[in-house]
Amino acid sequence: MPGLRSWGAPSTIFSFYGNPVLPMPLSKTSRSPRKTRASVPRQNNTRQILDAAEKVFAAHGLSGTRVSDIAEASNLPKANIHYYFRTKEDLYRATLQQLLEDWLGDASKWLSADRSPREGLEGFIRSKMAFSRQRPEGSRLFAHEILSGGRYVHGFLVDTLRRHVEHRREVFEKWHAAGLIGTVDPTHFLFCLWAMTQAYADMGVQMAAVLDKPRLTAVDFEAGCRTIIQLATSILPDPVAPPPVQDTIKTRPGRRRTTVRSARSRRAAT
Amino acid sequence: MPGLRSWGAPSTIFSFYGNPVLPMPLSKTSRSPRKTRASVPRQNNTRQILDAAEKVFAAHGLSGTRVSDIAEASNLPKANIHYYFRTKEDLYRATLQQLLEDWLGDASKWLSADRSPREGLEGFIRSKMAFSRQRPEGSRLFAHEILSGGRYVHGFLVDTLRRHVEHRREVFEKWHAAGLIGTVDPTHFLFCLWAMTQAYADMGVQMAAVLDKPRLTAVDFEAGCRTIIQLATSILPDPVAPPPVQDTIKTRPGRRRTTVRSARSRRAAT
DNA sequence: AAAAAACCTGATCATATGGTCAGAAAAAAC
DNA sequence: GTTTTTTCTGACCATATGATCAGGTTTTTT
């Protein structure tokens, strides 16, 4: 009896229905637990829909997005979208989830205690900036969500992200204890890094308009990258001055300052 | 004949109809040019509506906002909203316009060549952070708009804002020429300042969640303020070391570095 | 005080949009 | 090759929501 078929994803790891989602890592929210791998069409279409959804949601947010837009963007009839994702909200959740897995990226790889702060900070910033450049939709989707109150990612924020921040904080503290960086509030320092790197995706339109160009180019990202790195690495001690004289008043431990470095960065004045 | 009355604002400086708007300073977009000052009820209701609209638009964006929400938030019947603002879009434009007048705030007051960089940067940052704290709705509304492509503020961006950035750039260049700050890309430096200060409004939810509190407090803002100031003022030369000994190698003019300053800021490590 | 202008609002309309459904087509299982 | 499951989709429905309007009330003008 076709009229009573189990609408929607019957049983695969790619189904996302109205559920908590986010907190769990690679969650699936369908009924009937595991079974065979997702069928080929399901896998393809799901991928296609999620990719299209990320773009559209990123540009208009949840409420600003029409399912028909996603349908168009993914080249599938609207009813087919609803076949794989029962509601728009479900699709939104799934899109967010897919994103969040990437969002943290390799922060832990770079901001790790067994790296030098200089290397770590530079790597982290470059990595974040690359994300902003290559997947601006992702950044913007996340920004939209946070701006709107972040209720769909609340689980992620208080769970995964909080832990993540804890770890980064520990790394900064270790660096500081080892005299490798000066005194900063580690958490707010991290917030600042996020803010600056994300801005190049989220506020790209604004920057581009100010710079009188249709969009930010690789050159702009590089300039931004350098500036952010310059600011961020200001917390590490001067690698040039410390060894030699170093005035005798001995102000206080951990008070050395870094030089401008990256003196090669394009001239500020003129 | 009441049925044929001129619906909506007939002729005052407070009418905003579907028009370009933004570029012009205090534009009014009604028909019949000037005339008497806005009547009392008009002035009150308009104010009330715009204030409510800012809050609601900030939380949900243009498309996520329902006129009925604004009606509710402003304690007026929906039809009355449409009496003063023909369409939702018109109201949105008016709300943005009201905001943009404040947004630039006293940047020019602080980032001015006749101030010291330290004073200027600190003042600017504190001023921006105060805005983020006291009018987070404004910041978020603007962020929403930019994220969504910024077509309603395009005029403002390429006109007013671009000129504004030009001026700030000149100030930085003067400071640099006078040896008061090191080498930085002035434009991207400004972008970074915007990014960090705005983040405390736009990403407040995220930060609060990470910090395990319902919302950011004054203390958090102060900590953020200090951190941003610390990073920003890293571009100015060290005010403590220069007078005394100062190692003899004379690395290069303008390369001195600032100390951690604000050493009283809460300990980073531990 | 009459007339005109401005203000106000409940009721109503038109449309956009999320979501459903029946039934066909395709694929997989048997 | 038959059955069962899964996929697909045009047509349809229900509702939300932006906008209008008719006619009343208040304010201002004359």
Side-chain angles (χ1 to χ4, degrees):
Chain A
M1 48 178 71
L4 220 178
R5 57 93 220 338
S6 58
W7 60 256
S11 64
T12 79
I13 66 159
F14 277 106
S15 327
F16 304 84
Y17 297 154
N19 292 66
V21 179
L22 277 330
M24 26 184 161
L26 225 262
S27 85
K28 64 263 22 197
T29 319
S30 59
R31 319 66 155 288
S32 38
R34 73 198 64 285
K35 206 178 239 179
T36 60
R37 269 283 161 283
S39 70
V40 174
R42 171 168 294 270
Q43 210 154 2
N44 289 341
N45 290 334
T46 302
R47 176 87 278 116
Q48 219 169 318
I49 294 171
L50 285 172
D51 287 348
E54 182 170 300
K55 282 194 181 56
V56 184
F57 279 134
H60 309 292
L62 171 58
S63 54
T65 295
R66 286 160 299 203
V67 176
S68 59
D69 289 339
I70 296 173
E72 194 173 1
S74 59
N75 274 314
L76 290 170
K78 185 171 69 120
N80 209 358
I81 306 285
H82 280 104
Y83 174 69
Y84 288 107
F85 300 90
R86 194 165 54 89
T87 69
K88 182 168 81 157
E89 222 177 283
D90 285 345
L91 173 53
Y92 183 67
R93 263 187 277 263
T95 308
L96 273 178
Q97 172 161 24
Q98 166 191 249
L99 167 67
L100 294 182
E101 282 157 22
D102 300 348
W103 196 78
L104 293 177
D106 29 40
S108 33
K109 171 179 150 196
W110 290 110
L111 298 183
S112 150
D114 43 55
R115 279 187 194 275
S116 77
R118 157 152 282 133
E119 179 190 28
L121 287 173
E122 181 157 344
F124 175 74
I125 291 167
R126 289 204 173 277
S127 154
K128 277 282 180 196
M129 285 293 269
F131 188 85
S132 284
R133 176 151 172 66
Q134 283 149 18
R135 280 190 60 189
E137 298 90 12
S139 274
R140 289 192 201 115
L141 169 56
F142 187 66
H144 255 306
E145 167 59 18
I146 293 294
L147 266 179
S148 301
R151 47 183 158 292
Y152 293 95
V153 290
H154 191 256
F156 169 81
L157 294 180
V158 301
D159 189 30
T160 313
L161 190 59
R162 188 181 297 168
R163 220 172 15 244
H164 176 87
V165 171
E166 279 296 294
H167 291 158
R168 285 335 113 215
R169 194 161 63 73
E170 279 162 21
V171 172
F172 288 141
E173 283 166 2
K174 277 184 191 154
W175 279 345
H176 182 261
L180 297 173
I181 61 173
T183 303
V184 246
D185 184 313
T187 309
H188 287 273
F189 180 61
L190 187 59
F191 288 168
C192 286
L193 294 183
W194 282 347
M196 292 187 282
T197 52
Q198 281 223 178
Y200 280 81
D202 304 344
M203 305 278 152
V205 169
Q206 181 182 350
M207 295 180 182
V210 164
L211 295 173
D212 196 14
K213 43 182 77 173
R215 75 196 56 190
L216 294 182
T217 67
V219 175
D220 301 316
F221 272 85
E222 181 55 28
C225 225
R226 290 231 183 94
T227 305
I228 298 171
I229 290 172
Q230 177 180 349
L231 294 178
T233 55
S234 75
I235 67 162
L236 44 84
D238 192 333
V240 212
V245 204
Q246 189 63 9
D247 71 17
T248 49
I249 58 171
K250 201 97 177 201
T251 51
R252 204 199 290 199
R255 275 174 57 81
R256 270 85 53 36
R257 243 335 1 83
T258 167
T259 70
V260 173
R261 81 169 290 290
S262 78
R264 9 145 10 211
S265 75
R266 77 185 81 317
R267 345 185 5 64
T270 184
Chain B
M1 50 176 71
L4 219 179
R5 56 89 220 343
S6 58
W7 60 255
S11 63
T12 78
I13 67 160
F14 277 106
S15 327
F16 306 85
Y17 296 154
N19 293 68
V21 178
L22 278 329
M24 26 185 163
L26 225 262
S27 86
K28 65 260 32 199
T29 317
S30 60
R31 317 66 154 290
S32 40
R34 75 198 65 283
K35 210 178 237 180
T36 60
R37 268 286 160 280
S39 70
V40 173
R42 171 168 293 270
Q43 211 154 0
N44 289 342
N45 290 335
T46 301
R47 176 86 280 117
Q48 218 169 317
I49 294 171
L50 285 173
D51 286 349
E54 182 171 299
K55 282 194 181 57
V56 184
F57 279 134
H60 309 294
L62 171 57
S63 54
T65 295
R66 286 160 299 199
V67 176
S68 58
D69 289 339
I70 297 173
E72 194 174 0
S74 59
N75 274 314
L76 290 170
K78 186 168 68 124
N80 208 357
I81 307 284
H82 279 104
Y83 175 70
Y84 288 106
F85 301 91
R86 193 164 55 88
T87 68
K88 181 170 80 158
E89 220 178 287
D90 285 346
L91 173 53
Y92 183 67
R93 261 188 279 263
T95 309
L96 273 178
Q97 173 161 23
Q98 166 191 250
L99 167 67
L100 294 183
E101 281 157 25
D102 301 348
W103 196 77
L104 293 178
D106 29 39
S108 33
K109 171 178 150 196
W110 291 108
L111 298 183
S112 151
D114 44 56
R115 279 187 193 276
S116 78
R118 157 152 283 134
E119 179 190 27
L121 287 173
E122 181 157 343
F124 175 74
I125 290 166
R126 289 205 174 276
S127 153
K128 277 282 179 195
M129 286 293 271
F131 188 86
S132 283
R133 176 151 171 68
Q134 281 151 18
R135 280 190 59 189
E137 299 89 12
S139 274
R140 289 193 202 115
L141 169 56
F142 187 66
H144 255 308
E145 167 58 19
I146 294 293
L147 266 179
S148 301
R151 47 184 158 293
Y152 293 94
V153 291
H154 191 255
F156 168 81
L157 294 180
V158 301
D159 189 28
T160 313
L161 189 59
R162 189 181 298 168
R163 218 168 22 242
H164 177 86
V165 171
E166 279 296 294
H167 292 157
R168 285 335 114 218
R169 194 162 60 74
E170 280 161 21
V171 171
F172 288 141
E173 283 165 4
K174 277 184 191 155
W175 279 345
H176 182 260
L180 298 171
I181 61 172
T183 304
V184 247
D185 184 312
T187 309
H188 286 274
F189 180 61
L190 187 60
F191 288 168
C192 286
L193 294 183
W194 282 347
M196 291 186 284
T197 52
Q198 283 223 180
Y200 279 81
D202 305 343
M203 305 278 150
V205 169
Q206 181 182 350
M207 295 179 182
V210 164
L211 294 174
D212 196 15
K213 43 182 77 172
R215 73 195 57 190
L216 295 181
T217 67
V219 175
D220 302 316
F221 272 85
E222 181 54 29
C225 224
R226 290 230 183 96
T227 305
I228 298 172
I229 291 171
Q230 176 180 350
L231 293 179
T233 54
S234 75
I235 67 163
L236 44 84
D238 191 332
V240 210
V245 203
Q246 190 59 11
D247 71 18
T248 49
I249 58 170
K250 201 100 178 197
T251 50
R252 205 198 290 197
R255 274 176 56 80
R256 269 84 56 33
R257 229 13 319 101
T258 168
T259 70
V260 172
R261 77 174 293 290
S262 77
R264 6 143 16 208
S265 76
R266 76 187 78 318
R267 343 184 8 66
T270 187

